[in-house]
Amino acid sequence: MTPPQAKPFGLQLPEYPWEAMAPYRATAALHPDGVVDLSIGTPVDPTPTLIQGALQAASDAHGYPTTHGTTALRQAVVDWFARRRNVPGLDPNDVLPTVGSKELVAWLPLLLGLGAGDVVVRPTVAYPTYDMGAEFAGATAVAADSLDELDAGTRARVRLVWVNSPGNPTGIVRGVESLRELVGQARAVGAVVASDECYGELGWGAWDPENGGEPVPSVLDPRVSGGSNDGLLAVYSLSKQSNVAGYRAAFAAGDAAIIANLVNSRKHAGMIVPRPVQEAMRVALGDDSHVSAQKALYRNRRARLVPALESFGLAIHHSEAGLYLWCTAGEDTWTTIGRLAELGIVAGPGVFYGDAGNGFVRVALTGTDERIDAAVRRLKG
């Protein structure tokens, strides 16, 4: 007997976009001096020894960790927000460790209970996981940088607004007034604002406190929130500032009721940060010196790359914070990617970040000093 036609197993998702880079990586690999990979943006410098030590010291983790995180870790997050992000008085109960920030970005719409008919707003040029999160939940993703850009029908269905400041890939920073306006718009329609702030310590120029600038503002900053975290979530990762991308160490904080609900849902799903990683996070958040040292490395690499890219004919847009330079040669994205690959340099295609990214490439600062210097020599010809 012939079985009925079976529905295929598995989610029917688009191909992971980075697979399209294979031929360009192959071209770059032919360069006699080796590849300079400035595409993905994964940290290349060592994890600070104090963080490695904390992970090792907590390695006797024979019992289950807590989903909500240890009291000591949540207090460290609270202290860090007060010290580094101008967010005083955060309740430790309103903090949740996550398995990196990408998993929270991907699962937040589902965990918030969104579904068909609901709208998730994400920035015009944005990290693609915001769209995937909406797809996992069955909601609709819409690209906009302000709710004023939406028609009345769409605006009425908005349940979640993603803001990414400093932005990936553009490096755009939204100041206090811009964030406050977006929060007001979202609150007017009863939507949650989730602020992806993982590059918050990596501001340059006017956003570089160590060089006389001001700190990048958080959505939980009272000047933005009006003193209430209702409807607000800040999402943060230690991957970049502490070189712990392999630890998957991140957290969310904000609205008390939403955090409590997320904790309960994640208990049911077993979405738990391992106990040694929680301890490593606690130690990392208590030490500002390694963050400053790492930022100095990126600051110097950025200072070398900017003029080299410009000499190659690329104009740099925004890029006032974060680990990337958002560049255009005024031509198709793939043409620029191909010209860079001929020099043995791999960059990120702007088209991966939405239609508005066409014509742009994203160049990461995450190369060793030796590889950055190799790129500079090649770009300057």
Side-chain angles (χ1 to χ4, degrees), residues 39-176:
S39 60
I40 301 284
T42 188
V44 297
D45 300 303
T47 301
T49 54
L50 87 161
I51 301 175
Q52 293 187 48
L55 186 79
Q56 292 162 1
S59 61
D60 182 14
H62 48 272
Y64 289 111
T66 72
T67 303
H68 199 180
T70 66
T71 301
L73 168 57
R74 287 184 278 118
Q75 185 61 54
V77 172
V78 166
D79 294 342
W80 175 83
F81 264 114
R83 188 176 73 250
R84 304 293 294 184
R85 306 307 307 280
N86 190 40
V87 180
L90 188 63
D91 190 325
N93 286 325
D94 301 343
V95 173
L96 166 70
T98 64
V99 189
S101 58
K102 184 173 182 176
E103 65 95 341
L104 185 72
V105 171
W107 295 115
L108 185 61
L110 181 65
L111 294 176
L112 289 177
L114 273 58
D118 295 327
V119 168
V120 175
V121 174
R122 54 85 165 169
T124 304
V125 182
Y127 184 50
T129 309
Y130 304 129
D131 285 347
M132 293 310 304
E135 184 160 343
F136 287 145
T140 301
V142 174
D145 295 314
S146 166
L147 299 196
D148 287 341
E149 300 171 19
L150 307 178
D151 62 72
T154 301
R155 187 165 177 162
R157 295 189 292 120
V158 173
R159 298 289 308 283
L160 174 62
V161 179
W162 279 107
V163 59
N164 181 206
S165 175
N168 173 17
T170 61
I172 291 173
V173 175
R174 297 185 72 143
V176 167

Side-chain angles (χ1 to χ4, degrees), residues 35-46 243 294 296-302 304-305 323-324 345-346 363-376:
V35 175
V36 180
D37 191 344
L38 304 178
S39 60
I40 301 284
T42 188
V44 297
D45 300 303
N243 290 335
Q294 184 60 47
L297 291 175
Y298 287 135
R299 188 187 291 111
N300 290 332
R301 291 165 185 167
R302 184 178 186 275
R304 303 203 296 277
L305 266 177
L323 288 183
Y324 309 107
I345 298 170
V346 183
V363 180
L365 306 180
T366 51
T368 63
D369 286 330
E370 184 273 332
R371 288 290 83 188
I372 293 292
D373 288 341
V376 168

